Amino acid sequence: MTASTESPSIAPSALLAGEKVAMLNTNEAVATSQLPSPPLRGRVNADISIAPASLAEDDAFVHSLTNLINEIYTDAERGFWSIDPFTRTNPAEVRSFITNGTLAVAWLPGYSRSPHIEYLLGCGRVQLLPSPSEAESRTTAHFNPDPDTAIGQFGCLICRPEYRGSGVGRDLLKFAEDWTREKGGKKMQMEVVVGDGWEHEEKTKLAKWYERAGYENVKEMDLSKGIPELGPLLARKARYRVYHKTL
């Protein structure tokens, strides 16, 4: 799943047992409000790269990023879940994204050499879908049944609210597509949760955002069947969509 209206999504994986999301320690990370004000018009040409492995050892960064992701997902998906705030991820999972070299990060221009949470504008996780034998998730959309066609997957995509509309989400998506091409990927996959019999405004915007970016809805199913571990957390019926784009 994806949270921001300008960003897309990856369907959430099961939370690691016993791991609780750490609250933001304001002594360790500068508040979002202290970021430079975004331009009134035009784009922000963010510096985008794969997060350096050294960030996995920075507990303040990992915990603050976990908190930021969960806050944004709670706001963007309010109405879907029976729990509020919604825990989208946890520090162990975020740390694994970094150590595995799959976390794409967008920094305030000129600050990529100073990788601190206060300079982070957005992020997302990019990977090649594993084969069925390698997949950890029970969700069929989370593995690639065709070994002859490598498929990239991009999700957990967020953008700081005050920087939405500045091109950060769009540039993160392009970075993920380019990364997938470099790895030999032929298709890109995005996923989104939508209301079943009701409309969620943010998710409707997100689906249209995917379509404008060239993505086609190739699969749709009941969320409880598509991602079984999320079924018990639903407050209302929902469906799970899978989007593909040929690269």
Side-chain angles (χ1 to χ4, degrees):
M1 298 180 296
T2 303
S4 85
T5 57
E6 208 218 21
S7 61
S9 149
I10 199 167
S13 57
L15 297 177
L16 302 182
E19 187 78 45
K20 293 185 178 180
V21 175
M23 296 303 293
L24 177 65
N25 185 335
T26 55
N27 292 323
E28 297 175 327
V30 176
T32 301
S33 61
Q34 294 186 33
L35 278 167
S37 298
L40 295 178
R41 297 178 182 174
R43 294 171 51 82
V44 172
N45 295 314
D47 295 337
I48 302 177
S49 61
I50 293 295
S54 58
L55 279 181
E57 301 172 6
D58 186 337
D59 286 342
F61 180 87
V62 170
H63 286 222
S64 296
L65 179 55
T66 300
N67 192 62
L68 179 64
I69 292 171
N70 286 327
E71 286 180 350
I72 290 176
Y73 266 87
T74 292
D75 289 340
E77 297 189 340
R78 185 164 279 118
F80 280 104
W81 311 110
S82 59
I83 54 175
D84 193 342
F86 176 63
T87 303
R88 168 60 180 82
T89 189
N90 56 57
E93 187 174 58
V94 170
R95 187 174 280 110
S96 74
F97 293 165
I98 298 172
T99 57
N100 292 336
T102 60
L103 185 69
V105 287
W107 303 105
L108 193 69
Y111 288 87
S112 60
R113 295 184 181 276
S114 303
H116 300 291
I117 192 68
E118 61 265 33
Y119 304 133
L120 184 79
L121 303 183
C123 69
R125 190 229 188 160
V126 59
Q127 64 169 341
L128 292 180
L129 287 175
S131 66
S133 61
E134 298 171 324
E136 297 179 359
S137 172
R138 292 181 292 164
T139 305
T140 56
H142 289 173
F143 59 78
N144 182 5
D146 182 4
D148 297 325
T149 304
I151 300 176
Q153 182 193 45
F154 194 41
C156 205
L157 179 58
I158 65 163
C159 176
R160 287 190 187 266
E162 62 269 44
Y163 278 83
R164 289 176 188 164
S166 63
V168 172
R170 190 161 54 249
D171 289 347
L172 276 164
L173 179 57
K174 183 180 183 302
F175 176 89
E177 292 173 350
D178 290 344
W179 182 95
T180 297
R181 289 189 189 93
E182 292 174 2
K183 299 292 183 181
K186 304 299 182 183
K187 293 182 179 180
M188 195 72 189
Q189 177 168 303
M190 309 290 290
E191 298 137 27
V192 64
V193 173
V194 297
D196 186 353
W198 60 285
E199 183 175 346
H200 189 283
E201 183 178 357
E202 290 299 313
K203 293 302 183 179
T204 298
K205 292 179 181 178
L206 180 59
K208 291 179 179 178
W209 189 85
Y210 288 153
E211 292 163 5
R212 290 197 302 272
Y215 286 80
E216 180 183 357
N217 182 6
V218 297
K219 184 185 298 184
E220 186 168 328
M221 67 198 81
D222 185 287
L223 179 64
S224 296
K225 296 179 180 178
I227 312 178
E229 59 265 29
L230 290 183
L233 303 179
L234 284 171
R236 305 179 70 178
K237 292 182 65 177
R239 296 189 67 77
Y240 174 63
R241 289 182 186 172
V242 178
Y243 286 82
H244 278 183
K245 177 180 178 179
T246 300
L247 300 179

